[in-house]
Amino acid sequence: MKPENISQLPPYYAPFADAPLRILQISDCHLYANPGRCLAGLNTQSTFDAVLDLIEQEFGSTDLILATGDLVHDASPQGYARLRERLEQMASPVYCLPGNHDSPAVMSQTLNRGKVQMLEMVQLQNWLIVMLDSTVPGREGGHLGAAQLEILEHQLQQNIHCHALICLHHHPLPINSAWMDRMVLDNPTVFFQIIDRFAQVKGILFGHIHQEYMSWWKQVQLLGVPSTCIQFTPQLDQFNLDRVPPGLRWLELHPDGSIETGVRRLSAMPTKLDLSVAGY
Ligand SMILES: [Fe+2]
């Protein structure tokens, strides 16, 4: 509920901002230096392009696109350059964070121009979006180091009147999938101790798991997203490719702090998925 005395409102609490923020999440694009390369039989460049085409056709201009890691499988400058060129054509700004397959250094050198940026935070209307780096060099699993935890705490403290959406690559809690849960965030306790101190946190958004996912941590919604290329079968203890099309997550962040969200997928399964591969 909005305070009645408008003069007491912080400047970003615009009284006309009744419309929700419209945000899209894409993740785990796994592009390569060579645009012809495939992952488990799928050409990751063409499935990425198809998901962006779907965005342009069905969502048009949104407030923001969030790209939550594993954007370039081989962490190549060529892969990031092509990613940036394609995202630059989108109608919305794109904020990116790294995943375990990315190189944060190469990524920040190649992205970070025009509308494609790596930023710690963005504040829109009465929402704060925090982008964290959960990667550890040479490791597949996730960890939030002291500097990242400090960013999280500092941004929440500095924007105490904003609702908050926290983004990172790794799933912060197990998803009942043993092989994937070996690559979960390894220090969730300290992460959720911070989250618990700030009631304005409404959602935690992540990639990495290549599947649609939703659960709760107390009042905080935990949301995972399909990859723009290959999908993993939920609730299995071994690696298994799921025969569902690539997709994206849409979110509407309302001024009252509520989140509406869903997943939208390509209408058809890309051909040539190689179900015999044993890993990625
Ligand atoms: Fe990942």
Side-chain angles (χ1 to χ4, degrees):
M1 199 165 75
K2 294 177 183 178
E4 286 180 18
N5 185 345
I6 296 291
S7 66
Q8 289 178 353
L9 294 175
Y12 50 78
Y13 202 127
F16 50 82
D18 287 331
L21 289 173
R22 295 173 66 236
I23 291 180
L24 301 174
Q25 180 193 13
I26 57 172
S27 200
D28 299 87
C29 310
H30 292 273
L31 303 186
Y32 292 97
N34 175 356
R37 271 192 71 176
C38 294
L39 181 62
L42 289 194
N43 180 269
T44 56
Q45 181 69 45
S46 56
T47 56
F48 173 68
D49 288 339
V51 170
L52 295 189
D53 289 347
L54 175 71
I55 289 176
E56 287 171 326
Q57 288 157 16
E58 298 207 359
F59 295 91
S61 176
T62 58
D63 291 291
L64 203 59
I65 297 173
L66 301 171
T68 50
D70 280 0
L71 304 182
V72 175
H73 191 89
D74 56 11
S76 58
Q78 300 93 324
Y80 290 116
R82 205 166 344 93
L83 175 89
R84 196 196 68 76
E85 282 164 24
R86 183 65 183 83
L87 291 176
E88 187 67 35
Q89 297 165 19
M90 302 303 286
S92 320
V94 185
Y95 294 150
C96 305
L97 59 76
N100 47 298
H101 284 275
D102 291 305
S103 160
V106 179
M107 203 171 150
S108 67
Q109 281 162 14
T110 319
L111 306 180
N112 277 334
R113 62 195 76 167
K115 64 176 67 153
V116 184
Q117 297 287 331
M118 293 172 75
L119 298 174
E120 287 177 5
M121 59 78 81
V122 57
Q123 190 228 305
L124 291 170
Q125 296 180 17
N126 65 336
W127 277 86
L128 167 73
I129 299 170
V130 183
M131 308 283 281
L132 297 175
D133 178 354
S134 59
T135 65
V136 184
R139 269 178 48 185
E140 292 183 319
H143 181 83
L144 287 170
Q148 294 298 310
L149 294 168
E150 200 174 308
I151 288 168
L152 174 64
E153 188 166 15
H154 177 76
Q155 291 300 340
L156 290 170
Q157 190 73 58
Q158 292 297 305
N159 298 280
I160 201 82
H161 299 293
C162 288
H163 307 297
L165 181 70
I166 313 300
C167 307
L168 73 168
H169 177 67
H170 293 84
H171 51 312
L173 291 173
I175 57 164
N176 194 31
S177 184
W179 78 276
M180 185 48 80
D181 290 338
R182 283 192 284 275
M183 302 185 280
V184 70
L185 185 75
D186 73 357
N187 59 339
T189 304
V190 60
F191 174 61
F192 282 105
Q193 278 171 350
I194 296 173
I195 299 292
D196 287 349
R197 286 178 36 222
F198 294 94
Q200 82 252 43
V201 179
K202 308 299 183 195
I204 298 173
L205 206 60
F206 48 89
H208 192 48
I209 62 173
H210 293 226
Q211 62 196 264
E212 182 177 359
Y213 179 84
M214 203 286 280
S215 69
W216 294 87
W217 169 262
K218 301 178 183 174
Q219 307 302 313
V220 182
Q221 209 164 358
L222 307 181
L223 295 163
V225 66
S227 160
T228 66
C229 57
I230 58 171
Q231 314 302 314
F232 302 145
T233 308
Q235 313 266 328
L236 284 188
D237 286 338
Q238 286 87 33
F239 174 88
N240 194 72
L241 291 172
D242 204 0
R243 288 187 57 83
V244 285
L248 62 109
R249 177 173 289 284
W250 60 265
L251 301 107
E252 292 191 351
L253 308 182
H254 289 267
D256 67 358
S258 61
I259 298 174
E260 272 183 87
T261 184
V263 160
R264 182 78 175 82
R265 294 180 188 269
L266 299 182
S267 55
M269 186 66 203
T271 55
K272 298 188 179 164
L273 178 67
D274 181 0
L275 292 167
S276 69
V277 300
Y280 83 117

